[in-house]
Amino acid sequence: MIKKIKLKNFRIFDNYELNINNSLVIISGKNATGKTSILEAIYLCSSSKSLRDNEIENLIKFDKDYLDVEVESEINKYRVIISKNEKSYLINNKKINKIKDFIGSLSCVMLSPADLNIVNGIKGERRKFLDLEISLINKKYLSHLTKYKKILNERNDILKSKDIDKIYLKIVTEGLIKELKEIYEIRNKFIDDLNIYLLTICKEMNIEKLEISYKPSYDINNLEKSFDEKLERDILTKVTNIGSHRDDFKILLNNNDIKLYGSEGQKRMSIIAIKLALKEYIEKNINNEIILLLDDCFLALDKEKIINLTKEVKKSKQVFITTTSVLEIPDSLLQNAEVIRIDGGKESAR
């Protein structure tokens, strides 16, 4: 359980310290006052990633040279220091040299309005979700993904050259296929396992059946042929047109693509269900102390869905919830929560 959060030069915060004395924490405040940034700091210490920016340096407060984020649990202290030229990750003040040994050490699942991009966004948003969540729980996957990206860049460089060495291209393609097989197997198993928990969550929350269906850009049983058939196009376009970097998945609602046929309410609930299924999966298979981060998630839900989400919240080891008004939060949660009001990067009276 998280006991303390320290932020320096992070987003709108100069110097900020938050002591936590409860397993259920509600952070209340107006928009743009730093509520989500507190959740993002926890997420950063879990994933090494930003919620809202591809460039992690953008987390540094304007006109500052670096940021320093520290999240202390009952067991460990996690720290991230980022400057324009360097990134440092520490556990209990010991520098972690390999990022794979840092990410996932603090286990959390984050649910925010931006997650709707997993449904409505482009393929890249869904691959980003897969790659991040699997990397947090499977160190081998991150290693395969890193190797794959390196070989992919090498293959694309060959395709861009004026005189393509077909023999060298074939050797590099074989290396790419080797990593692709590993990535496919891990992604496919992750989705199969997640679907088991998703089915249970749908029943518990009394929502329609949801299922995730993986859509590879190749024939997994005949990868060499798949690449051969795309070779002419690859040479013409000077990029690799199939592979893990082109794959996608669909979220099916009663066997129909929810992106095409689902309402906004159904899409929102599908993301909530997927994230809760992910939490259950991690708890049962990896770590039984997951921190659940809910950013404005009770907003726009009807009464029944609020009740069902509340039940899931109560089952969690520790939960952080942000809201613009505590009136959005069910009384059954409020009465047992530690309520913190944030005002422009400053903590108001509790």
Side-chain angles (χ1 to χ4, degrees), residues 5-18 27-38 61 340-349:
I5 300 170
K6 291 182 180 179
L7 308 177
K8 186 171 184 179
N9 303 333
F10 182 79
R11 293 292 193 189
I12 66 171
F13 295 97
D14 286 311
N15 279 287
Y16 181 80
E17 183 173 321
L18 184 62
I27 302 171
S28 174
K30 296 178 181 179
N31 290 326
T33 54
K35 304 185 303 300
T36 300
S37 295
I38 292 175
K61 192 175 189 294
I340 300 167
R341 182 162 181 81
I342 300 295
D343 183 14
K346 299 176 182 179
E347 180 184 349
S348 303

Side-chain angles (χ1 to χ4, degrees), residues 237-275:
T237 60
K238 302 185 184 303
V239 293
T240 304
N241 285 278
I242 60 172
S244 298
H245 63 294
R246 298 279 181 165
D247 291 357
D248 196 4
F249 68 81
K250 290 183 179 180
I251 301 171
L252 304 179
L253 176 70
N254 294 327
N255 298 318
N256 294 313
D257 187 350
I258 197 169
K259 182 177 181 179
L260 301 176
Y261 301 105
S263 68
E264 286 305 304
Q266 289 171 323
K267 291 175 181 179
R268 189 178 297 112
M269 282 308 301
S270 74
I271 294 301
I272 291 174
I274 288 170
K275 289 301 184 81

Side-chain angles (χ1 to χ4, degrees), residues 168-290:
Y168 183 37
L169 179 62
K170 181 176 175 59
I171 293 170
V172 171
T173 302
E174 288 171 354
L176 191 71
I177 287 174
K178 180 182 176 182
E179 297 304 324
L180 172 57
K181 288 178 180 177
E182 297 289 346
I183 292 170
Y184 172 85
E185 291 297 329
I186 296 172
R187 280 182 179 177
N188 211 44
K189 186 178 186 310
F190 171 76
I191 288 175
D192 286 346
D193 291 344
L194 190 60
N195 277 331
I196 295 171
Y197 293 95
L198 185 56
L199 184 62
T200 301
I201 290 292
C202 288
K203 290 178 180 177
E204 290 177 352
M205 297 193 71
N206 194 30
I207 59 178
E208 297 166 283
K209 179 187 173 185
L210 289 164
E211 183 181 7
I212 300 173
S213 177
Y214 192 53
K215 300 296 179 183
S217 55
Y218 41 81
D219 179 359
I220 188 60
N221 296 313
N222 203 336
L223 280 167
E224 290 78 7
K225 183 179 179 182
S226 294
F227 275 88
D228 286 344
E229 289 176 345
K230 290 291 183 180
L231 181 57
E232 188 175 334
R233 178 172 175 79
D234 288 351
I235 293 172
L236 181 64
T237 60
K238 302 185 184 303
V239 293
T240 304
N241 285 278
I242 60 172
S244 298
H245 63 294
R246 298 279 181 165
D247 291 357
D248 196 4
F249 68 81
K250 290 183 179 180
I251 301 171
L252 304 179
L253 176 70
N254 294 327
N255 298 318
N256 294 313
D257 187 350
I258 197 169
K259 182 177 181 179
L260 301 176
Y261 301 105
S263 68
E264 286 305 304
Q266 289 171 323
K267 291 175 181 179
R268 189 178 297 112
M269 282 308 301
S270 74
I271 294 301
I272 291 174
I274 288 170
K275 289 301 184 81
L276 291 175
L278 178 63
K279 182 182 80 72
E280 291 289 317
Y281 169 78
I282 298 173
E283 285 178 342
K284 296 294 192 301
N285 295 278
I286 312 297
N287 187 329
N288 63 0
E289 293 191 3
I290 304 300

